[in-house]
Amino acid sequence: MKKVLLLGCLCLVAVSSCNPPGTLSKRDTTTPEDSIYKVARGYFKVLPVVAVSEENPLTQAKVHLGKILYYDTRLSKNGNSSCNSCHNLATFGVDNEVTSDGDDGSKGTRNSPTVFNAALHNMQFWDGRAKDVEEQAGMPILNSVEMGIPHEGFLIERLTGIKLYQELFKDAFPGEEQPLTYANLQKAIGAFERTLLTPSRFDQYMQGDRKALNSVEKAGLLAFVEAGCTTCHNGVGIGGGTMQRFGLVTDYRSLTRSRLNDEGRKAVTQYAADKDVFKVPGLRNIKGTFPYFHDGSVAGLDSAVIIMGKAELNKELSKQEVRQIVAFLNSLTGEIDPEAKKIPAELAKH
């Protein structure tokens, strides 16, 4: 009955938006299916082909260089880690670990988020300390717990001694007297990551294919909206646009059983108001990017949905609502370009 009423209300909203206030057209042919589609188009956007950047225009040479750098373990001090180690393109851009191993085998303190579709987000890292994928790309390399390179000059000197990179940087950044720089390394990796977008059945639905989602997934879309999830999870990334407090209603630690007392963005700004504020993750490919939350404390997607209902919305979602929302979230699983998952042939030769 609740769902029937919701569909009826959505129909009325759709009708009233097309007619003068206080009038309903007898010839209106809006259907529940039309209303669901209108709701989706109101909150979300279709995935583009690439994530463009005015500051870092994409070229084939730059993207090619970026892919090689992404897979090269020589970007870590001891040669044990690459970008792909934590953000594995064969497994939806993550390693499915609670936290990842660094170059020296030590564990990080935060779960590695997916790199797929991340270039569409408004900030990077759980604490939002990087503005885009270009800035983000250079930071783990210099992190002592992650890839362990002691300073930029150390890596540039290493890469300068490799003929392959001398040629590739020259091709990717033509006309520059010294193209092999750390800034250009960041641009190249960022350019590659801007191609890592994964169109899904949900995008087909958003483009007009009403049969791309089944009835349970459509019910989940409505339940997702009705619960209030779209307050944070909206737009093209279905998240990734804002920073929000995790635990608006109750301390998240009581629900996730988190072992680490991570206070989020407060560690960056030192402002008390930023305690427990984290980047809202994008939900594309969420089915495959477990475990969940900034500390990887929750393994199951259904459990994560229940916790978010309690922590952020002060709602006890029913079993049916959880099942439907999870079905909708599963429809966000996208197609990964097989070429992206192939280790570059150049790395086997050098």
Side-chain angles (χ1 to χ4, degrees):
M1 178 63 71
K2 180 179 181 181
K3 200 61 65 182
V4 172
L5 290 174
L6 173 62
L7 289 172
C9 290
L10 289 171
C11 289
L12 287 175
V13 170
V15 172
S16 62
S17 64
C18 300
N19 294 283
T23 67
L24 291 177
S25 172
K26 294 181 180 181
R27 291 180 293 178
D28 184 83
T29 58
T30 300
T31 67
E33 181 67 35
D34 293 332
S35 296
I36 296 172
Y37 182 70
K38 184 174 181 179
V39 167
R41 295 285 297 185
Y43 284 104
F44 310 112
K45 295 181 180 179
V46 177
L47 200 71
V49 177
V50 296
V52 297
S53 169
E54 293 183 2
E55 298 177 357
N56 186 26
L58 303 190
T59 65
Q60 184 174 354
K62 195 184 296 183
V63 171
H64 179 60
L65 168 60
K67 180 180 179 181
I68 295 173
L69 289 167
Y70 188 91
Y71 277 96
D72 199 339
T73 58
R74 287 173 291 191
L75 269 64
S76 62
K77 182 179 180 181
N78 300 316
N80 297 320
S81 301
S82 69
C83 301
N84 194 65
S85 298
C86 299
H87 306 282
N88 192 334
L89 301 187
T91 54
F92 291 103
V94 300
D95 58 7
N96 296 125
E97 299 289 338
V98 173
T99 58
S100 303
D101 291 329
D103 184 56
D104 63 359
S106 59
K107 288 281 188 181
T109 58
R110 287 178 178 163
N111 181 259
S112 295
T114 180
V115 70
F116 283 114
N117 309 300
L120 296 169
H121 297 177
N122 291 341
M123 71 289 294
Q124 304 297 320
F125 292 114
W126 282 105
D127 55 22
R129 66 184 183 275
K131 67 176 183 177
D132 52 32
V133 289
E134 286 79 13
E135 184 176 13
Q136 185 278 332
M139 298 172 81
I141 297 171
L142 303 178
N143 188 301
S144 60
V145 180
E146 297 182 67
M147 299 174 78
I149 294 294
H151 55 82
E152 295 180 6
F154 179 95
L155 180 58
I156 295 306
E157 182 178 355
R158 174 183 286 183
L159 298 184
T160 300
I162 301 172
K163 185 177 179 181
L164 170 69
Y165 280 124
Q166 294 176 13
E167 297 172 350
L168 290 175
F169 272 87
K170 184 177 180 180
D171 291 341
F173 300 95
E176 294 191 15
E177 185 176 347
Q178 294 181 331
L180 210 166
T181 66
Y182 200 80
N184 283 347
L185 175 146
Q186 292 176 264
K187 288 180 180 179
I189 295 176
F192 172 59
E193 292 184 357
R194 289 182 178 279
T195 69
L196 298 178
L197 307 189
T198 57
S200 65
R201 286 190 295 112
F202 181 66
D203 292 294
Q204 296 175 23
Y205 177 76
M206 290 283 288
Q207 290 172 321
D209 182 358
R210 305 297 180 86
K211 296 181 179 180
L213 300 186
N214 62 38
S215 59
V216 177
E217 292 164 344
K218 291 173 185 175
L221 190 162
L222 288 176
F224 188 83
V225 172
E226 184 184 33
C229 305
T230 47
T231 301
C232 299
H233 294 284
N234 51 53
V236 66
I238 315 177
T242 60
M243 305 284 296
Q244 299 289 343
R245 176 165 288 101
F246 185 18
L248 286 173
V249 180
T250 185
D251 192 318
Y252 73 83
R253 299 162 186 82
S254 65
L255 301 172
T256 63
R257 308 300 183 203
S258 298
R259 297 180 180 180
L260 298 174
N261 183 32
D262 191 335
E263 295 187 333
R265 188 159 175 76
K266 181 183 175 184
V268 177
T269 66
Q270 302 303 310
Y271 295 145
D274 285 334
K275 180 180 182 294
D276 297 343
V277 171
F278 296 90
K279 173 188 172 183
V280 175
L283 298 183
R284 290 180 176 273
N285 300 312
I286 192 70
K287 178 181 178 180
T289 59
F290 57 89
Y292 303 109
F293 303 132
H294 62 276
D295 53 5
S297 55
V298 175
L301 183 53
D302 54 349
S303 297
V305 170
I306 293 170
I307 288 171
M308 289 300 291
K310 293 178 180 178
E312 302 300 290
L313 303 169
N314 197 27
K315 292 185 177 180
E316 292 278 350
L317 297 172
S318 69
K319 290 182 180 180
Q320 180 179 12
E321 287 173 320
V322 172
R323 179 176 65 86
Q324 291 171 339
I325 290 174
V326 168
F328 163 62
L329 295 178
N330 288 345
S331 77
L332 304 177
T333 303
E335 300 175 9
I336 299 175
D337 182 356
E339 289 299 316
K341 296 186 284 187
K342 293 181 181 179
I343 297 176
E346 291 88 342
L347 294 179
K349 301 176 183 179
H350 298 273

